[in-house]
Amino acid sequence: MSLLTPAVAFGAALVLFVWLGSGVWVNFDAHARGSDHPGLWGVLSPLSGIVLFYYLLWWRRGRSRRYPPSRWERATAIVAVAGFGGLAVGSLVSPPDPTSQLTTWPVAFAGCLPVAYWAVGRRFDPTGDSFINDRL
């Protein structure tokens, strides 16, 4: 059996899409919080988990938003949350084989999309800013 089946190729493409979506969300969020270099945050945070955790847990907390999140920012946040949630669920229910995980992950991602939509729409910003209950 070939390792590059259409399901595995779709899973790999979806991984890249979520990776890009998380970088775009960080870029949007850093710009709204007044960063001098939001593009740098957007590029470095998906490349390094350490930079992403630093951004989410330290840098972002001390700065309030200057304007509410746009529709595109919410959409990229939904993709990022569903992607990481799908990755966690998919790794729990599939065998440790990377091929099996890449075929299970798109299904888990699709299952996490409604939950991510609800979570982002219900409470977009965990820092308590005033833009929390705006809907898409």
Side-chain angles (χ1 to χ4, degrees), residues 33-119:
R33 293 180 187 278
S35 172
D36 292 334
H37 306 288
L40 190 63
W41 283 113
V43 169
L44 292 179
S45 61
L47 292 177
S48 169
I50 295 169
V51 174
L52 180 62
F53 285 125
Y54 174 77
Y55 177 79
L56 291 174
L57 299 176
W58 185 260
W59 188 88
R60 186 173 183 259
R61 292 185 140 243
R63 291 155 180 87
S64 61
R65 295 183 63 92
R66 294 187 289 180
Y67 49 86
S70 68
R71 194 174 201 132
W72 286 104
E73 185 176 353
R74 289 178 190 277
T76 57
I78 290 168
V79 167
V81 169
F84 293 125
L87 182 66
V89 169
S91 67
L92 290 174
V93 300
S94 68
D97 170 31
T99 304
S100 298
Q101 289 182 350
L102 280 176
T103 56
T104 305
W105 185 68
V107 176
F109 173 78
C112 287
L113 272 174
V115 175
Y117 179 81
W118 175 80

